[in-house]
């Protein structure tokens, strides 16, 4: 392993230093991801791959319709059983092969849907012999992301009209805070004052005003404070200024869909860029593919394609000679016409759009090549690596808004050396470290005040206010809460942790059994549906252990790791800590940002299961235990009910 050296600085003396530092980090990230993938494929047994949930074997396949011109393939276990626990999710890139992707050319596909008995994937066309024999599916690596981040790093700091913003991002300015607040240089276009949208609190209005008038705005949005709501209102205001299309991005497809949904509800002409399969089903009509199908010129396009396909079939039956040569000429002209019509349709759709929505990496799509976006908004900016954040900025950004919370989880980085080198620090956080001020959204509307009390005091210095009262978040029935007025409960369980079957994770069977009982109690209470409850744990091994115990009536409950629940919420959250050992080792739990996320997903009720003797070895968990003891919400009385 190469020496990672020191982590990257907050400010750079030269753009070259920035370029070299981050190119090295993303190269490490790709190299290590590919090496991990190759090592698994070479050396891991089928049992270990299954246990880790990253490969499925013995799959039978059949076609299952179309999705915007791409073939849907449904995969099922050959024995007609259920899959069990696995990590494949909608939007994942996967490799389909007969035996091993290393020994044959795999088919690259994207997961479109999943259930306990089937997984649907999308591919350009169905392979020959699809229904013969069985298939294997493995998780794939995303080389496209690397290519687009590399291109962004090589071009973001080129000399152009965005130089003032470039210098600010690098830290080459004397006063980052003051420079960020300056009016953007919009290439001669005048900023048009528009009235602010209604339905915002004072902090959200302040953030919106700054976004409309400043070169760079950082909006700090703690859990439940309306980050996406504020982002949508900013985009709406930009759209009303009519200074050209706006680029709205986020690190995940889920976050992009949330932006898109809000914009469509506000009547903003928004178009979603990216694979339709990765878009929420109810929003697919806003994708580029769907809008192309509805365009006035689509009939001409379909007719031209049909003519070309008929001519192509005719050519196959021709002998050589002048006639065949002329047919080839006509076919070439025909496909050229197809490309022209397609380009005309796409340009028309893009020209009419007020806001284009896509992921950070998706903004590097060749569809947007040649287009400039002077204004860009990055939602959930603290979840994206800096190179990923730069991909949309190379599109000509002169005015940028970043929305996020650097006190929640950082970007996900696979490579340990890249993480240690600084890739896990977002651009948002680096700018904060550099001295750029943030605007705090200070009113939370998600949690019952009793649930928000500890996170507010411990993670946000008591700066948050509650925008809702106890009556708006009534205590859910189904659990004998220690205090009915405080829907928070810590159940002290001392059930030993153990290594998960994959050998790389942890599980706690005692806590898993308790989870099932608590779920049953809530459902039997008659007030909550299973969809109202979320199960969170730090360990993938515990996720699988809980899912394996779920009765059939509860299969639809969401069980995820903490990292998988960031940005989400449920009426009730049940959190399994897992760690219980004589050494007092808390592992992942020691990350205060992970604790912050875990404790801030619940709207009406929060239940935490853990071993107090192990947890109190960490200062943040010790503070939480002191809090629940002071509030008298320990669930000792529940221990006799199982």
């Amino acid at each position: 392993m190469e020496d990672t050296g020191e982590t990257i600085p907050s400010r750079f003396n030269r753009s070259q230093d920035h370029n070299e530092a981050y190119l090295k980090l993303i190269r490490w990230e790709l190299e290590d991801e590919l090496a991990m993938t190759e090592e698994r494929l070479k050396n891991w047994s089928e049992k270990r791959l299954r246990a880790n949930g990253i490969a499925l074997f013995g799959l039978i396949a059949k076609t299952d319709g179309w999705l915007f011109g791409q073939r849907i393939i449904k995969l099922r276990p050959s024995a007609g059983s259920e899959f069990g626990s696995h990590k494949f999710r909608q939007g994942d890139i996967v490799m389909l092969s007969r035996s091993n992707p290393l020994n044959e050319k795999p088919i690259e596909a994207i997961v479109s849907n999943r259930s306990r008995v089937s997984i649907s994937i999308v591919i350009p066309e169905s392979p020959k012999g699809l229904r013969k024999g069985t298939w294997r599916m493995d998780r794939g690596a995303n080389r496209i992301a690397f290519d687009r981040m590399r291109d962004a790093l090589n071009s973001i700091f080129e000399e152009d009209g965005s130089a003032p913003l470039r210098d600010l991002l690098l830290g080459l300015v004397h006063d980052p805070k003051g420079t960020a607040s300056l009016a953007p240089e919009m290439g001669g276009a005048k900023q048009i004052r528009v009235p602010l949208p209604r339905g915002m609190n004072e902090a959200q209005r302040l953030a919106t005003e700054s976004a409309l008038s400043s070169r760079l705005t950082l909006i700090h949005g703690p859990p439940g404070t309306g980050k996406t709501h504020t982002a949508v209102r900013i985009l709406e205001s930009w759209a009303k200024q009519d200074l050209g299309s706006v680029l709205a991005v986020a690190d995940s497809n889920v976050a992009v869909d949330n932006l898109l949904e809000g914009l469509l509800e506000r009547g903003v002409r928004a178009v979603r860029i990216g694979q339709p399969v990765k878009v929420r089903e109810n929003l697919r009509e806003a994708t580029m593919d769907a809008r192309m199908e509805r365009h006035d010129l689509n009939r001409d396009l379909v007719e031209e394609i049909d003519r070309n396909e008929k001519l192509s079939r005719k050519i196959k039956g021709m002998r050589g000679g002048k006639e065949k040569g002329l047919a080839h000429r006509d076919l070439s002209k025909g496909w050229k016409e197809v490309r022209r019509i397609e380009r005309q349709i796409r340009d028309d759709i893009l020209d009419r759009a007020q806001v284009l929505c896509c992921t950070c990496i998706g903004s590097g799509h060749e569809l947007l090549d040649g287009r400039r976006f002077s204004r860009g908004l990055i939602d959930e900016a603290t979840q994206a690596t800096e190179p990923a954040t730069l991909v949309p900025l190379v599109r000509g950004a002169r005015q940028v808004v970043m929305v996020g919370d650097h006190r929640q989880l950082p970007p996900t980085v696979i490579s340990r050396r890249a993480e240690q080198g600084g890739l896990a620090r977002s651009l948002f956080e680096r700018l904060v470290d550099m001295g750029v001020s943030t605007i705090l959204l200070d009113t939370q509307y998600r949690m019952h005040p009793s649930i928000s009390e500890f996170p507010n005091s411990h993670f946000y210095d008591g700066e948050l206010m509650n925008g809702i009262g106890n009556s708006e978040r009534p205590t859910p029935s189904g659990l004998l809460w220690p205090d009915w007025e405080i829907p928070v409960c810590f159940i002290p369980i001392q059930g030993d942790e153990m290594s998960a079957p994959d050998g790389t994770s942890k599980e706690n069977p005692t806590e898993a059994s308790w989870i099932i009982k608590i779920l049953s109690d809530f459902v039997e209470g008659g007030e909550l549906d299973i969809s109202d409850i979320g199960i969170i744990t730090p360990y993938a091994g515990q996720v699988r252990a809980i899912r394996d115990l779920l009765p059939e009536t509860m299969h639809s409950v969401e069980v995820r790791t903490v990292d998988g629940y960031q940005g989400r919420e449920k009426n009730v959250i049940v959190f399994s800590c897992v760690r219980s050992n004589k050494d007092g080792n808390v592992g992942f739990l020691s990350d205060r940002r992970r604790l912050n996320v875990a404790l801030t997903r619940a709207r009406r009720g929060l239940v935490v299961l853990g071993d107090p003797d192990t947890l109190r070895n960490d200062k943040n968990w010790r503070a939480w235990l002191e809090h629940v003891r002071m509030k008298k919400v320990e669930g000792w009385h529940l221990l006799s009910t199982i």
Side-chain angles (χ1 to χ4, degrees), residues 343-400:
R343 187 166 55 252
Q344 185 177 347
I345 294 173
R346 287 171 178 161
D347 286 346
D348 186 50
I349 294 169
L350 293 174
D351 290 343
R352 291 171 182 268
Q354 293 174 302
V355 181
L356 298 180
C357 302
C358 53
T359 62
C360 293
I361 298 301
S363 66
H365 196 286
E366 60 268 17
L367 180 69
L368 301 181
D369 287 353
R371 291 183 173 269
R372 310 292 285 176
F373 302 90
S374 59
R375 295 168 300 174
L377 182 143
I378 303 167
D379 197 14
E380 300 290 2
T382 50
Q383 295 182 34
T385 66
E386 179 157 338
T389 305
L390 294 180
V391 176
L393 300 186
V394 303
R395 299 290 185 186
R398 299 168 182 260
Q399 187 175 20
V400 175

Side-chain angles (χ1 to χ4, degrees), residues 235-402:
L235 292 167
E236 180 189 6
S237 297
W238 272 346
K240 289 179 179 178
Q241 290 183 331
D242 198 26
L243 294 178
S245 298
V246 177
L247 199 54
V249 303
D251 186 61
S252 70
N253 284 289
V254 172
V256 177
D257 286 349
N258 290 338
L259 286 176
L260 176 64
E261 187 171 45
L263 290 168
L264 295 175
E265 289 175 353
R266 302 293 299 174
V268 177
R269 297 193 305 277
V271 175
R272 180 71 154 89
I273 306 297
Q275 287 272 6
V277 67
K278 297 184 179 183
V279 179
R280 197 179 304 154
E281 189 171 352
N282 67 312
L283 299 173
R284 287 176 182 169
E285 289 301 306
T287 62
M288 172 61 76
D289 297 74
R291 293 192 184 274
M292 286 187 68
E293 284 191 355
R294 298 196 307 270
H295 196 275
D296 293 341
L297 292 177
N298 188 61
R299 179 178 294 180
D300 296 343
L301 178 64
V302 173
E303 289 176 355
E304 189 65 38
I305 292 173
D306 286 343
R307 275 196 296 271
N308 291 337
E309 289 178 344
K310 288 178 182 178
L311 181 57
S312 183
R313 290 193 295 268
K314 184 179 178 181
I315 290 174
K316 289 180 180 179
M318 289 182 176
R319 295 183 179 181
K322 185 177 181 181
E323 184 182 0
K324 189 171 184 177
L326 292 172
H328 274 297
R329 182 198 65 184
D330 292 341
L331 184 62
S332 177
K333 289 182 177 179
W335 285 120
K336 186 176 181 180
E337 177 65 10
V338 166
R339 291 191 293 272
R340 186 194 69 78
I341 298 173
E342 283 182 334
R343 187 166 55 252
Q344 185 177 347
I345 294 173
R346 287 171 178 161
D347 286 346
D348 186 50
I349 294 169
L350 293 174
D351 290 343
R352 291 171 182 268
Q354 293 174 302
V355 181
L356 298 180
C357 302
C358 53
T359 62
C360 293
I361 298 301
S363 66
H365 196 286
E366 60 268 17
L367 180 69
L368 301 181
D369 287 353
R371 291 183 173 269
R372 310 292 285 176
F373 302 90
S374 59
R375 295 168 300 174
L377 182 143
I378 303 167
D379 197 14
E380 300 290 2
T382 50
Q383 295 182 34
T385 66
E386 179 157 338
T389 305
L390 294 180
V391 176
L393 300 186
V394 303
R395 299 290 185 186
R398 299 168 182 260
Q399 187 175 20
V400 175
V401 175
M402 297 185 191

Side-chain angles (χ1 to χ4, degrees), residues 41-42 44 46 49 55-58 95-107 133-138:
L41 295 174
K42 279 184 177 180
W44 284 27
E46 179 177 326
L49 289 166
L56 297 172
F57 300 85
M95 297 179 291
L96 201 66
S97 63
R98 290 294 189 179
S99 58
N100 192 314
L102 286 181
N103 305 326
E104 60 187 275
K105 187 178 180 179
I107 300 169
T134 60
W135 296 87
R136 163 181 176 171
M137 189 169 75
D138 293 84

Side-chain angles (χ1 to χ4, degrees), residues 129-148:
L130 176 71
R131 305 191 69 158
K132 296 180 180 178
T134 60
W135 296 87
R136 163 181 176 171
M137 189 169 75
D138 293 84
R139 176 171 288 182
N142 192 351
R143 294 176 181 267
I144 294 175
F146 170 80
D147 292 340
R148 291 178 179 176

Side-chain angles (χ1 to χ4, degrees), residues 549-566:
L549 290 177
L550 287 171
E552 189 172 348
T553 56
M554 297 182 182
H555 280 175
S556 61
V557 70
E558 278 196 277
V559 188
R560 296 179 179 239
T561 61
V562 179
D563 301 57
Y565 243 99
Q566 179 152 310

